[in-house]
Amino acid sequence: QVQLVESGGGLVQAGGSLRLSCAASGSIFSINVMGWYRQAPGKQRELVALITTSGGSTRYADSVKGRFTISRDNAKNTVYLQMNSLKPEDTAVYYCYMHLSTVRPPYEYWGQGTQVTVSS
């Protein structure tokens, strides 16, 4: 059983910062990719940022480039998202994502989501 537990969401004013964390636990053999998606009310879930555990290659949505930074701690099976210069349009539920292997073949796992609200 694998669990992804997120923390760090909350309410912040426009221009402020938040840092999200997501830690994976369970019988994990290896993690290939870690990342964050978000879903605003009435909209589809969208990619925010991804990072590979080997090499640390990153990918960002155009809307967050230059403002958000994704990082990881492989030893702790943890991924972070530093969000700066937040805008009201960043308001959404943020979901942690990991593509990892257990006794089963590689599979996608999701966190429960954490609310980020940016007030204008």
Side-chain angles (χ1 to χ4, degrees):
Q1 186 92 10
V2 172
Q3 279 192 317
L4 304 186
V5 179
E6 300 145 341
S7 61
L11 173 64
V12 65
Q13 288 189 330
S17 298
L18 283 175
R19 189 189 193 213
L20 305 183
S21 300
C22 174
S25 62
S27 300
I28 299 169
F29 287 173
S30 64
I31 303 175
N32 307 307
V33 178
M34 300 175 168
W36 294 91
Y37 285 72
R38 67 185 181 187
Q39 187 167 19
K43 295 187 177 181
Q44 289 188 328
R45 189 174 297 190
E46 64 175 1
L47 169 70
V48 177
L50 294 174
I51 186 168
T52 61
T53 55
S54 177
S57 297
T58 58
R59 175 185 171 188
Y60 293 93
D62 288 342
S63 59
V64 307
K65 283 180 181 177
R67 300 187 298 122
F68 291 10
T69 302
I70 190 170
S71 61
R72 90 282 191 210
D73 185 332
N74 292 344
K76 295 181 179 179
N77 290 340
T78 299
V79 61
Y80 306 95
L81 185 68
Q82 178 66 43
M83 305 185 292
N84 298 328
S85 303
L86 282 160
K87 304 175 181 180
E89 50 264 44
D90 294 318
T91 295
V93 177
Y94 283 69
Y95 295 92
C96 174
Y97 162 87
M98 294 192 188
H99 186 263
L100 58 86
S101 300
T102 63
V103 294
R104 299 167 56 189
Y107 195 73
E108 298 180 341
Y109 291 84
W110 296 88
Q112 78 284 0
T114 185
Q115 178 70 46
V116 171
T117 303
V118 184
S119 63
S120 57

